[in-house]
Amino acid sequence: MSVLVFVEGLNGEIKKSSLEAATYGSQVAQAMGTSATAVAIGDVNEDALSRLGEQGISKVLYDADDRLKQFVADAYVKVIAKAAQQENAKVLVFSNSNIGAAVGSKLAVRLNGSLATNVTELPKIDGGNFTVTRGVFSGKAFADVNLTSDVKIIAVKKNSTDIISNAGSTATVEKLSADLADADFASAPKETVMQDTSGGVLLQEAEIVVSGGRGMKGPENWHLIEELAKELGAATACSKPVSDIGWRPHHEHVGQTGITVSPNLYIAAGISGAIQHLAGVNSSKVIVVINKDPEAPFFKAADYGIVGDALEVLPKLIEAAKALDK
């Protein structure tokens, strides 16, 4: 019996959130006295897969079917289920991403398993009890959940696990084939549009995010957000009101009804900090708020705050960021 970790790729490399999941999975395996195996799908570099050994993964099962380069939930579920059956895996670990959530719920039905999402801590294993802690109510509270099914499926919250790196350790990479038929791709979208930010960094995977709100006073000032993002190697984002009034495209909207992000650094310029916005960014490791209103709610959630007009503060930050590169 092993622990199976599903890892996601981006441009041939393993996503940071999946490295966190791999670390989590290997630590669960260690606590259970077993090994951790990863399953990878689609366009992922095999060298990157072998480096998963640094996170404690002993073996990687890789299905390189060209049709899997595009995410199709039913096909992904079939591949992961095949890997779980082959490895007799009773614990499956994913990142709590859009893909992880879609695949995890379908697998829970297919494997008759217990599913816990947004998990923040390693499980407490005591006799027949397998208890995990998960964030609820947009991260405002935590719940302990006992997973009672034979198969346990865990979606790990981003930035909740420190990535371990045992330099030099490698995992063996083995081919996996789930004998996929055309019917497994019936739900595939006819056209895929990859939403990329102006800085070339995908918002969901960005380590740094620079976000703007109505305090930017108009789309003509957005070049300040984009310039700071470029200097920091960051993605750009915005609040819901900004996308609603057409200043920025909807795919940059961060919040409860938009994209949820978990960067190491989130810079919010001219955003008041409504509860719906906070729900989408409260997993960020460090939050910096720039707002001319000292009573803005966002300051209560901030690690660092600057009271000032964003249009005056941002040029100074850009200048400082440029100085760091010299």
Side-chain angles (χ1 to χ4, degrees):
M1 182 178 70
S2 69
V3 174
L4 183 70
V5 181
F6 168 55
V7 294
E8 301 174 37
L10 178 67
N11 298 327
E13 296 297 323
I14 304 298
K15 292 181 180 180
K16 174 179 175 289
S17 56
S18 286
L19 295 178
E20 294 173 4
T23 296
Y24 184 99
S26 67
Q27 291 174 337
V28 173
Q30 185 176 20
M32 296 173 60
T34 185
S35 61
T37 298
V39 55
I41 298 172
D43 186 16
V44 188
N45 188 300
E46 290 198 28
D47 288 338
L49 294 177
S50 67
R51 290 197 300 272
L52 284 170
E54 297 180 0
Q55 283 72 54
I57 300 297
S58 59
K59 178 171 65 177
V60 181
L61 303 176
Y62 178 38
D63 193 327
D65 190 320
D66 283 342
R67 296 173 295 177
L68 293 169
K69 290 181 180 180
Q70 177 179 329
F71 173 63
V72 181
D74 290 342
Y76 273 47
V77 166
K78 188 172 182 178
V79 173
I80 298 169
K82 172 70 178 292
Q85 179 184 27
Q86 179 174 312
E87 297 298 308
N88 190 27
K90 299 301 182 183
V91 178
L92 282 66
V93 178
F94 305 85
S95 167
N96 197 62
S97 62
N98 291 338
I99 291 177
V103 168
S105 59
K106 285 177 174 286
L107 274 170
V109 174
R110 185 179 184 119
L111 302 178
N112 194 28
S114 299
L115 171 65
T117 60
N118 217 32
V119 173
T120 59
E121 297 180 12
L122 289 169
K124 300 176 182 66
I125 305 172
D126 181 17
N129 293 323
F130 191 101
T131 306
V132 296
T133 300
R134 59 184 300 266
V136 294
F137 302 120
S138 299
K140 294 181 177 61
F142 298 92
D144 289 336
V145 181
N146 187 24
L147 304 182
T148 57
S149 297
D150 187 40
V151 175
K152 302 161 189 8
I153 303 174
I154 301 171
V156 182
K157 181 180 180 181
K158 295 179 182 179
N159 271 343
S160 65
T161 303
D162 292 329
I163 299 171
I164 61 172
S165 182
N166 298 317
S169 298
T170 58
T172 60
V173 180
E174 299 179 5
K175 298 296 184 183
L176 174 70
S177 176
D179 298 321
L180 297 170
D182 290 340
D184 297 315
F185 296 88
S187 62
K190 300 300 182 184
E191 181 180 357
T192 300
V193 178
M194 183 68 91
Q195 299 289 10
D196 204 352
T197 61
S198 59
V201 182
L202 285 173
L203 181 54
Q204 295 93 326
E205 296 299 319
E207 297 285 336
I208 303 173
V209 175
V210 181
S211 188
R214 283 182 293 186
M216 294 302 295
K217 300 179 182 177
E220 67 276 5
N221 296 317
W222 218 261
H223 65 94
L224 296 172
I225 296 289
E226 293 172 338
E227 190 171 351
L228 180 59
K230 181 180 179 181
E231 292 298 328
L232 297 177
T236 60
C238 68
S239 63
K240 186 176 187 298
V242 164
S243 64
D244 284 346
I245 59 181
W247 291 2
R248 299 300 298 170
H250 283 284
H251 70 258
E252 289 190 7
H253 158 213
V254 167
Q256 191 169 32
T257 57
I259 293 172
T260 299
V261 296
S262 304
N264 289 329
L265 174 62
Y266 184 81
I267 301 174
I271 300 176
S272 64
I275 189 170
Q276 292 86 353
H277 188 80
L278 289 173
V281 305
N282 60 11
S283 294
S284 306
K285 284 192 174 180
V286 176
I287 295 176
V288 176
V289 171
I290 305 165
N291 201 296
K292 66 180 181 180
D293 179 7
E295 301 300 322
F298 218 155
F299 282 121
K300 295 179 180 179
D303 297 284
Y304 300 95
I306 302 173
V307 178
D309 190 327
L311 301 186
E312 298 175 1
V313 174
L314 286 174
K316 295 178 182 178
L317 291 179
I318 293 168
E319 184 179 343
K322 289 180 177 178
L324 289 174
D325 293 333
K326 293 181 180 179

